[in-house]
Amino acid sequence: AKMTSVVFAPSLKRWAVCGARHSRLLGLWSLSEAPEYRSHEQLVPPVTFNPLPDEVTHLSHGVNFSLGYKPLLSSCVWLFKSGKPRPHQRSKVVLPPSSGSVKQVSAGREHASVLTTDGQVFLLTLGSKWDEKGVSDDSGPISLVKLDKIPKMSKVCCGLDHTLMLTEEGKVFAHGWSADGQTGLGHDHSTSCPTELKGEISDRNVSSVHTCADSSFAMTKSGQLYAWGNNEYGQLAAFTGEKQIFVPTQVDVSQLKGSVLMSIACGGSFTVFLTGDGAVQYCGYGLGPELSYAVDPSKLCKMRRLAGHEGGVSSVHSSLHYLLMLPVSGSSTHTAES
């Protein structure tokens, strides 16, 4: 999710949502008009919605929209969106017959990547325009374009305005906006054609890629960690002193003090690292109560243990401003807000 935290129970075919009041990504109602939630910093209590289409068991959330799909069993994606002139929009986007079934969907600000079971990737763009109140005009056409001349992909991950893709052989490709170096291609301009990342990372077998806003990470099968993109808040855990890093740079995982890195969750100004012992560490700005933006940026880069989850954490998930930590069995769920 980019703006809102969403909980979905597929066995009940219902979803519940909580998050910032200005987010209309569910396409069902506009909380910005609710007088009791005038501050965007306030959280909306969880709200449960009616059953979804049968072809939806998973959701991916961008800014102001959501995409629903059924992995491996469906060749369509459902778009849920709210804006003008259609305040409660539900659209069914069907993939071409020869593309296989949907395997994974990842959403960005106004685009999404759809990965199919045969390794093809489709770029979905919404064609929206925004007014001065932040309400989108959805009169523009929805576009679904297959990305040609790329190898078979195993994973896609969208930032706000860029996309990372991982091949079956562990190579990383990127395209999109790169003002902060978030594509990792060594420059700060946009790239429309997916391009393989070069340098040291090209010799590594990458197992996963992670991004949410304009900071990017890649983990290798041998336990190495690479980072690039926006480092303004120290969210890359890279002690380079640079606010933007334009090529993949190895991160010192010895900061984890011997624990094995299992997963990463990227926020807008922070990054969270889950280790094999169920502990959570973080770098950047916004999660720790001891931090303020006036703190020396070199201290923000340092990984620090996040308190309040002594029962252990099994997985971490984040949007631009929120962190969700799922506990091990028998513990309580924890959330944090930046």
Side-chain angles (χ1 to χ4, degrees):
K2 292 294 184 281
M3 299 297 291
T4 306
S5 299
V6 176
V7 178
F8 178 43
S11 61
L12 302 177
K13 295 299 295 177
R14 303 174 74 87
W15 59 17
V17 60
C18 60
R21 59 92 185 169
H22 61 279
S23 183
R24 294 175 294 277
L25 82 173
L26 293 174
L28 296 174
W29 92 116
S30 175
L31 289 176
S32 63
E33 300 172 358
E36 62 269 32
Y37 304 117
R38 295 188 181 277
S39 171
H40 75 277
E41 296 178 353
Q42 290 180 298
L43 293 180
V44 175
V47 179
T48 303
F49 293 101
N50 293 326
L52 295 170
D54 290 336
E55 296 166 314
V56 174
T57 60
H58 290 64
L59 294 167
S60 180
H61 313 287
V63 176
N64 219 42
F65 74 98
S66 291
L67 294 171
Y69 63 105
K70 193 171 187 177
L72 311 180
L73 298 175
S74 177
S75 59
C76 71
V77 175
W78 280 87
L79 170 65
F80 306 98
K81 186 171 173 58
S82 181
K84 298 184 298 185
R86 299 181 296 276
H88 310 304
Q89 179 183 356
R90 285 191 176 195
S91 302
K92 184 176 181 180
V93 182
V94 181
L95 300 181
S98 60
S99 60
S101 301
V102 176
K103 179 180 179 180
Q104 183 209 347
V105 175
S106 182
R109 188 197 306 268
E110 284 292 323
H111 80 288
S113 291
V114 180
L115 175 66
T116 67
T117 50
D118 58 2
Q120 298 183 63
V121 178
F122 290 82
L123 176 64
L124 189 151
T125 56
L126 304 184
S128 299
K129 298 180 180 180
W130 298 72
D131 64 16
E132 65 278 3
K133 296 182 180 180
V135 178
S136 62
D137 182 343
D138 300 327
S139 58
I142 298 174
S143 173
L144 183 70
V145 179
K146 178 185 174 182
L147 299 180
D148 294 321
K149 299 180 180 179
I150 60 173
K152 289 185 177 181
M153 297 296 171
S154 62
K155 183 178 180 180
V156 292
C157 189
C158 289
L160 281 176
D161 305 296
H162 76 294
T163 300
L164 303 177
M165 298 183 292
L166 184 63
T167 71
E168 295 177 343
E169 292 75 28
K171 305 301 179 184
V172 181
F173 282 65
H175 66 114
W177 180 259
S178 193
D180 289 301
Q182 55 263 52
T183 61
L185 297 174
H187 55 69
D188 61 357
H189 55 267
S190 299
T191 302
S192 58
C193 179
T195 305
E196 183 180 356
L197 274 61
K198 301 299 183 180
E200 184 178 330
I201 196 173
S202 64
D203 297 325
R204 303 291 185 261
N205 190 347
V206 175
S207 58
S208 64
V209 289
H210 308 265
T211 186
C212 176
D214 46 19
S215 302
S216 304
F217 287 85
M219 293 174 55
T220 70
K221 289 188 175 181
S222 58
Q224 295 168 309
L225 179 64
Y226 289 84
W228 61 96
N230 189 354
N231 193 41
E232 180 181 358
Y233 305 97
Q235 62 265 52
L236 295 183
F239 294 88
T240 65
E242 301 175 357
K243 291 186 177 181
Q244 288 87 27
I245 299 178
F246 295 93
V247 295
T249 302
Q250 189 167 356
V251 176
D252 181 14
V253 294
S254 66
Q255 299 179 70
L256 298 174
K257 299 179 180 180
S259 299
V260 178
L261 179 62
M262 302 298 293
S263 184
I264 297 174
C266 303
S269 59
F270 62 87
T271 305
V272 172
F273 308 91
L274 175 64
T275 56
D277 57 358
V280 176
Q281 299 196 43
Y282 70 99
C283 65
Y285 167 74
L287 289 183
E290 77 283 6
L291 291 179
S292 70
Y293 188 56
V295 173
D296 182 352
S298 65
K299 295 182 180 180
L300 296 176
C301 294
K302 183 180 179 180
M303 293 183 186
R304 304 172 294 281
R305 189 180 179 94
L306 188 64
H309 59 282
E310 287 70 17
V313 173
S314 61
S315 62
V316 289
H317 310 270
S318 68
S319 65
L320 288 176
H321 307 296
Y322 305 104
L323 168 67
L324 176 68
M325 298 181 289
L326 297 182
V328 297
S329 179
S331 301
S332 300
T333 302
H334 305 283
T335 59
E337 178 183 2
S338 65

